[in-house]
Amino acid sequence: MRGTVTIAGKPLSHANVTLFAGDRQGVRELGSATTDANGAFQIRSHQRTGSVLYVEAATSGDRSLRLRSVVGVGPGGGVPQRSQSAVTVNELTTVAGTYALAQFTDQRGITGPSPGLENAAATSHNLADPATGKPGKVVTDQNNGSKNDTLATLGTLANLVSLCAPGADTGRCRGMLRLATPQGGRAPGDTTEAVLNLARNPRLATGELYALAGQAHTYTPALTVAPTAWVLALHYTARDVYAPGRIAIDAKGNVWASNNWLPGTRNPSPYVTVQDAVGNPTLNSPITGGGMKAGAWGIAIDHEGSVWVPSYGGNAMSKYSSTGKPLSPDTGFKNGDLNHPQGTAVDQKGNIWIANFYGLKGNRGKGSVIVYPHGDPAKAITITGGGLDHPFSIQIDGYGRAWVSNARLNGAKLMDTRPLKGHAGGSVTVIGPDFKPTSFSPIKDTSLDWPLGLAVDSRNNVWVPSFLSNSVTELGPNGKVTGVYKLPTTIAPWSIAIDGSDRVWVAGFGAPSVSVLCGVNTSACPPGSSTGSLLSPPNGYRSNSIQHLTAVQLDQSGNVWLANNWSALAPPTGGTGLVELIGVATPVCTPLQPLPARPASTSPTACPTQTSTQPR
């Protein structure tokens, strides 16, 4: 391997350069060298194996400078293997690699389970090219570049790193390291640790660090105003990913999406789309057939990797193999008298649960839940009662119970008014593994005002965002309201997801944004936080790429995926593509197990199959 190390646009001479391999077993050193007067180095190694290969460069004297570049992606991920024999190490590659692998980095280096580790390593190349050291092809393309702040944020972060160049003002370097110290944490020892702290704590010292970065001018474009958070967002607009409603992520990290409309129209889309972990269409996406007509707000992946998607306009369920082959008939599965189906979930036994919504027109008070036992439509079971009233979302808890949000018809009709006025009410129904509503259903509370998406955390608490009350309601496993958390800005929350640290990610439809709440695991939140504390800026994480969101989902690399459902509210106009927030969440097993769980390196299987238990 040959390469060059630069800092502040100049060669870094006499630097110690080391090639590492990282995987679930740990980190191994494969070779090392010292740069010459031109910053050049050469490393000879007979070992080129590992989930991720990366190079680090550090000066032998002042240890505050450490640079990094991800130069190889090994087998085991959902992306092709890749390695570079000619590389560049600089501030941009440092920021790119550190952000993308923020959830896999510790004092030993970069390590973790597949496929999240490999997929994260490949994502770094979307931000910076390891061969040239220049911004990557994705961050500079027509969807990103000048369209959002990510390229400029990348440049600003790189300028911060350049403050620690040899011969530079040491006071500025020390100031940067001090400002990049998380609340209650220790100061970073070098530039890579500083960037890591910003990736994991995006709200750190935004104004002060922005002002400090303005004293360096190595990289352009750079931000012209201080950010509200150090978040890197990438926008992907693959073919026919238009008005995407719901997202599901498979075991390889592929991102499946249902799509409401055809591009530029409000005509029903016949496509289900799939993108790989770095945003490229895969599995012959867009996929048609299987009865798809206007993918609804629902998509779930079963234990065999097959993908179930409700066909809202076809009053049916469509099923696809893990390779994208339609497995349902041309009309879809209609068993169970489906009527505009929405939310879909898979339980521990492989049963497919479907929220039978009954549409936006008429049918007041209607609604049911359909179950395909072990995925067999011919044995469809129809469940009524328990307060089911235009059920929208459905999720499974650790006891095998299905939690269902009842959106009611009133909320749907409010969408036809501008501005939204009044209340719609709503409730939550809980259905046991015996397919009968529980005795405490329906769950009602004034905070439940047009509840749409919901999610279950690792301790069987259920989190329900309400569109009209602009709040998130926490329900205990017994159905009791244990918390109501009002969002500080009116975002009209639609969807919700729980990460591997039980933090709660909330997607805003009314105001395009993502808010984060501390969950029940308060140890994963900043000191002084309690359950429900807001961890994101008051207005949420925002980007020009984020449109009106109906779905948020998390992958095994710690990335947050968002569905741009509408781009304009009046008249309703479809949103374009998916947005990915890089490395900001704790990784979670995919597909959902159904409880959120962090992939483990210490067990034979990173994501073992969950089984249901009995409620206490």
Side-chain angles (χ1 to χ4, degrees):
M1 177 180 292
R2 300 176 185 273
T4 303
V5 182
T6 65
I7 181 72
K10 298 178 181 179
L12 181 62
S13 61
H14 308 297
N16 300 318
V17 183
T18 308
L19 173 65
F20 294 99
D23 52 32
R24 64 178 298 157
Q25 279 77 40
V27 180
R28 300 181 302 282
E29 182 178 325
L30 303 185
S32 61
T34 302
T35 58
D36 62 18
N38 297 315
F41 67 90
Q42 179 175 320
I43 296 176
R44 296 186 181 276
S45 174
H46 297 292
Q47 300 181 44
R48 293 293 294 276
T49 59
S51 297
V52 56
L53 298 176
Y54 63 100
V55 170
E56 288 193 349
T59 53
S60 56
D62 183 1
R63 297 188 179 183
S64 61
L65 177 65
R66 179 161 58 114
L67 303 175
R68 176 179 287 171
S69 183
V70 176
V71 299
V73 180
V79 292
Q81 297 184 55
R82 171 181 178 178
S83 63
Q84 296 289 140
S85 58
V87 303
T88 298
V89 187
N90 63 15
E91 300 96 325
L92 286 176
T93 63
T94 300
V95 174
T98 303
Y99 260 73
L101 289 150
Q103 303 301 326
F104 298 89
T105 305
D106 58 22
Q107 294 300 313
R108 298 170 296 167
I110 297 173
T111 179
S114 302
L117 179 59
E118 295 87 348
N119 293 347
T123 300
S124 73
H125 299 153
N126 285 353
L127 296 170
D129 185 339
T132 64
K134 296 180 179 180
K137 290 183 178 179
V138 174
V139 76
T140 55
D141 69 14
Q142 61 181 358
N143 300 314
N144 298 282
S146 61
K147 295 289 185 66
N148 58 31
D149 288 338
T150 302
L151 181 60
T153 304
L154 189 68
T156 301
L157 291 167
N159 281 333
L160 282 173
V161 175
S162 74
L163 294 173
C164 293
D169 185 336
T170 57
R172 293 176 181 174
C173 180
R174 288 196 301 269
M176 186 272 289
L177 297 177
R178 176 181 54 81
L179 289 169
T181 303
Q183 181 184 356
R186 67 179 185 86
D190 56 48
T191 50
T192 296
E193 285 188 22
V195 174
L196 180 63
N197 284 346
L198 299 183
R200 291 177 174 173
N201 305 273
R203 297 182 66 182
L204 266 181
T206 52
E208 297 92 333
L209 286 171
Y210 166 76
L212 201 56
Q215 300 179 43
H217 307 284
T218 303
Y219 293 97
T220 56
L223 294 171
T224 56
V225 296
T228 58
W230 300 108
V231 170
L232 300 179
L234 292 178
H235 189 191
Y236 304 105
T237 59
R239 178 187 166 194
D240 287 302
V241 183
Y242 185 77
R246 185 77 164 122
I247 302 169
I249 299 175
D250 67 20
K252 291 184 177 180
N254 296 319
V255 184
W256 296 69
S258 60
N259 297 276
N260 298 164
W261 303 327
L262 282 169
T265 75
R266 295 186 68 180
N267 298 326
S269 173
Y271 300 115
V272 171
T273 53
V274 196
Q275 294 169 254
D276 66 15
V278 291
N280 298 315
T282 188
L283 306 181
N284 297 312
S285 179
I287 302 167
T288 189
M292 178 49 57
K293 183 180 180 181
W297 196 89
I299 186 168
I301 302 174
D302 67 21
H303 302 324
E304 283 72 47
S306 297
V307 183
W308 294 81
V309 190
S311 172
Y312 186 86
N315 294 316
M317 288 298 294
S318 298
K319 181 182 180 182
Y320 304 90
S321 73
S322 60
T323 58
K325 178 182 178 181
L327 300 178
S328 47
D330 289 343
T331 56
F333 295 122
K334 293 181 174 289
N335 311 65
D337 194 24
L338 292 171
N339 190 327
H340 295 84
Q342 293 274 20
T344 308
V346 180
D347 70 15
Q348 293 89 336
K349 296 179 180 179
N351 301 316
I352 310 301
W353 296 72
I354 307 157
N356 206 20
F357 182 69
Y358 270 82
L360 300 176
K361 308 296 181 183
N363 300 310
R364 181 175 296 278
K366 288 287 189 177
S368 61
V369 168
I370 310 299
V371 180
Y372 291 169
H374 305 291
D376 186 351
K379 298 179 180 179
I381 297 170
T382 299
I383 303 167
T384 58
L388 289 171
D389 187 351
H390 290 267
F392 189 82
S393 177
I394 188 165
Q395 294 293 335
I396 310 298
D397 69 10
Y399 306 125
R401 301 178 299 184
W403 294 71
V404 188
S405 65
N406 292 299
R408 306 188 73 207
L409 189 64
N410 295 351
K413 288 192 170 183
L414 280 176
M415 288 296 285
D416 291 330
T417 66
R418 297 291 183 274
L420 297 178
K421 292 182 179 180
H423 298 279
S427 62
V428 173
T429 298
V430 186
I431 303 170
D434 59 356
F435 307 134
K436 297 178 181 179
T438 60
S439 60
F440 55 83
S441 293
I443 302 166
K444 295 183 178 181
D445 191 79
T446 55
S447 65
L448 297 175
D449 199 358
W450 209 33
L452 297 171
L454 52 77
V456 185
D457 69 21
S458 69
R459 301 183 192 177
N460 293 294
N461 302 292
V462 179
W463 297 75
V464 190
S466 289
F467 192 95
L468 294 173
S469 67
N470 198 56
S471 63
V472 177
T473 304
E474 180 191 0
L475 304 176
N478 59 0
K480 300 293 185 181
V481 175
T482 54
V484 176
Y485 311 110
K486 192 81 172 179
L487 298 170
T489 302
T490 302
I491 65 169
W494 187 296
S495 183
I496 201 164
I498 312 293
D499 73 12
S501 293
D502 276 323
R503 289 176 295 192
V504 182
W505 295 77
V506 187
F509 180 88
S513 60
V514 183
S515 300
V516 188
L517 303 179
C518 182
V520 293
N521 179 15
T522 56
S523 65
C525 306
S529 299
S530 58
T531 299
S533 293
L534 186 70
L535 305 182
S536 53
N539 290 333
Y541 296 133
R542 299 197 175 194
S543 166
N544 289 341
S545 292
I546 297 177
Q547 299 169 4
H548 300 281
L549 302 174
T550 53
V552 53
Q553 200 54 274
L554 315 172
D555 67 17
Q556 295 198 45
S557 298
N559 302 312
V560 177
W561 292 84
L562 309 169
N564 281 340
N565 189 242
W566 287 13
S567 60
L569 297 179
T573 306
T576 55
L578 306 178
V579 175
E580 179 187 28
L581 307 183
I582 306 297
V584 292
T586 303
V588 66
C589 288
T590 60
L592 286 177
Q593 302 295 294
L595 296 186
R598 183 169 188 169
S601 297
T602 54
S603 59
T605 304
C607 294
T609 302
Q610 294 178 4
T611 57
S612 59
T613 59
Q614 293 298 317
R616 295 175 182 175

